[in-house]
Amino acid sequence: MRTGRLIAACLLVTVVATTAPAAAGDAHRRQPAAAPARFTHPGVLVGAAQLAFVRTKVQAGAQPWKAAYEQMLGSAYGSLSRTPKPRAVVECGSGSQPNHGCTDEREDAIAAYTHALAWYVSRDARHAEKAIELMDAWSATIKDHTNSNAPLQSGWAGSVWPRAAEIVKYTYDGGWPRSGRFATMLRTVYLPEVINGAPSKNGNWELIMAEAAQAIAVHVEDRAGYDKAVGIFEDRVPAYFYLRSDGPQPAYPPRTSIDTRGELVAYWHGQSAFSWDGLAQETCRDFGHTGYGVASVAHVAETSRLQGADLYPWLKDRLRHALGFHTRYENGAAVPSSLCGGTVKKGLGPVTEVGYNALHTRMGLDLPSTRQYTESRRPQGTEHHYVAWETLTHAENPS
């Protein structure tokens, strides 16, 4: 997806050694949650208890899980005849132009995750073997990502591969002889692209990259990488979702030279009125990219919870307001003239199930706009980059 062209002030952003001067949102930051002494597996986005819940519901024919499972199996990603399309070098420019392997890589990763889920639910070994075939083909081939979208592309694919690998490695008793080579691929090809974040880019980049780095760190059991990824994430979240309690403006984006209100307004795509809880840095760009930020915030929190450090108590106000703010307009509310000039570009996508489940099912919070949006779009499928099958995995899942 296009990263967008920031106006002149934002083009001058440079990475610096420390964060910008103290911002209003600093009070909401915290020390990074430490990596667990022992990693839990499977433990990327979905854990053992969640998977067991899903299997029980599908096997019982309960809704919406049965429909979500059938949607997944009926997609191109669920085909047992799928042929992997690996490349040694995946080249992705802005907006994935040029597109030399970008779509193939993302979709093969989603397919591997699809078959991993299908294996767990059905216990049909053909699905586990198809997931292994896809993962082995890429781990035998890929060496690098190039061009301007390389970090984002690595984030998209790098967040999905570990989901598939965790399920297969830790639940399939048929064996995966080349799992070590796959882990090496994650460690040497993907992790270097995502581990340092992308300070000067729109915030969805850094959130997606933090998600991928955290997921890879779990799978390869890299405690230092895990801590770095979560640290970047925790700095970025208060600079991405605004709360009025932050003060008159959002936090400055971390590790950049943006340190004036004018530069901040430019970075927030011209939005100068900070009057709403849940407003996002990319709201006035479009809801699609904002949805990526929403998804990755929930994904990182979900994985952190599975690894023993629950970030939801810290995140809940920002996440619930971000979900409610954007779904309200998706549901048809009028847009005030002070928000994005009175016009927003909707299209949030299938990104609400994980956050809604955490906040509503597990924490008991009332999110009426998010509930309306989420339930009216079930089963939520995939946006073909890195969000996939979250009605199946997270709808009303108490685990």
Side-chain angles (χ1 to χ4, degrees):
M1 305 293 290
R2 250 174 226 287
T3 61
R5 185 174 62 188
L6 300 179
I7 66 174
C10 290
L11 291 174
L12 297 176
V13 171
T14 57
V15 179
V16 295
T18 60
T19 61
D26 284 354
H28 295 274
R29 296 183 182 178
R30 50 166 279 181
Q31 291 300 308
R38 182 171 183 171
F39 285 98
T40 297
H41 304 289
V44 172
L45 187 58
V46 287
Q50 292 169 306
L51 289 167
F53 173 87
V54 170
R55 184 169 191 266
T56 297
K57 291 295 187 181
V58 174
Q59 295 294 320
Q63 299 294 0
W65 305 276
K66 184 175 184 291
Y69 182 68
E70 290 172 347
Q71 174 197 49
M72 182 184 77
L73 280 188
S75 72
Y77 300 108
S79 172
L80 286 166
S81 63
R82 185 181 187 90
T83 301
K85 298 178 180 178
R87 287 182 180 240
V89 177
V90 174
E91 182 183 4
C92 307
S94 179
S96 294
Q97 295 299 323
N99 184 337
H100 296 151
C102 315
T103 301
D104 291 338
E105 179 186 32
R106 294 194 308 265
E107 295 190 351
D108 274 353
I110 292 173
Y113 179 49
T114 299
H115 286 286
L117 288 169
W119 142 252
Y120 190 91
V121 171
S122 69
R123 293 301 195 266
D124 183 340
R126 294 178 299 168
H127 287 295
E129 292 296 332
K130 178 57 68 172
I132 289 170
E133 178 190 346
L134 289 157
M135 292 188 285
D136 283 352
W138 280 89
S139 70
T141 307
I142 190 167
K143 303 298 181 187
D144 199 10
H145 295 86
T146 63
N147 216 315
S148 59
N149 261 30
L152 182 59
Q153 174 73 17
S154 300
W156 281 328
S159 67
V160 180
W161 287 126
R163 298 178 206 163
E166 285 284 293
I167 295 171
V168 170
K169 184 173 180 179
Y170 294 101
T171 72
Y172 179 52
D173 58 8
W176 182 11
R178 296 180 179 86
S179 63
R181 186 179 72 191
F182 183 83
T184 297
M185 175 194 77
L186 293 179
R187 188 183 292 109
T188 61
V189 177
Y190 291 87
L191 191 57
E193 290 281 0
V194 298
I195 192 60
N196 293 313
S200 64
K201 298 291 187 180
N202 282 293
N204 84 88
W205 274 56
E206 192 151 85
L207 292 168
I208 291 166
M209 292 164 70
E211 177 188 345
Q214 180 201 39
I216 291 167
V218 169
H219 190 65
V220 305
E221 300 197 330
D222 177 354
R223 298 185 77 250
Y226 185 98
D227 286 345
K228 185 170 185 178
V230 175
I232 288 174
F233 170 82
E234 290 186 340
D235 272 349
R236 174 59 66 171
V237 171
Y240 194 72
F241 294 138
Y242 172 71
L243 293 176
R244 286 175 291 178
S245 59
D246 292 340
Q249 67 180 44
Y252 291 114
R255 296 173 295 122
T256 73
S257 63
I258 295 175
D259 60 2
T260 69
R261 182 176 173 83
E263 291 172 334
L264 189 71
V265 168
Y267 187 63
W268 281 64
H269 297 274
Q271 182 62 28
S272 58
F274 300 107
S275 307
W276 305 272
D277 288 326
L279 181 72
Q281 182 255 319
E282 295 183 271
T283 298
C284 294
R285 181 188 184 190
D286 58 63
F287 280 20
H289 287 90
T290 302
Y292 289 160
V294 169
S296 284
V297 166
H299 293 174
V300 171
E302 199 72 1
T303 296
S304 296
R305 187 183 66 90
L306 292 170
Q307 297 304 323
D310 191 353
L311 293 178
Y312 282 114
W314 173 68
L315 282 171
K316 65 179 176 64
D317 288 337
R318 291 189 193 275
L319 183 55
R320 72 182 176 91
H321 284 301
L323 285 166
F325 179 81
H326 293 91
T327 55
R328 184 162 62 251
Y329 297 115
E330 289 282 355
N331 294 339
V335 180
S337 60
S338 55
L339 176 64
C340 309
T343 302
V344 295
K345 186 176 180 180
K346 296 191 287 188
L348 193 63
V351 301
T352 59
E353 289 279 18
V354 177
Y356 178 67
N357 183 63
L359 298 172
H360 177 70
T361 305
R362 292 201 299 259
M363 300 183 76
L365 300 179
D366 186 26
L367 289 80
S369 293
T370 307
R371 177 177 182 173
Q372 178 184 342
Y373 178 90
T374 302
E375 293 185 350
S376 69
R377 287 161 174 78
R378 285 179 174 164
Q380 292 192 21
T382 178
E383 42 65 80
H384 308 292
H385 288 78
Y386 77 117
V387 179
W389 323 127
E390 294 184 356
T391 295
L392 177 66
T393 57
H394 285 82
E396 300 173 38
N397 196 325
S399 300

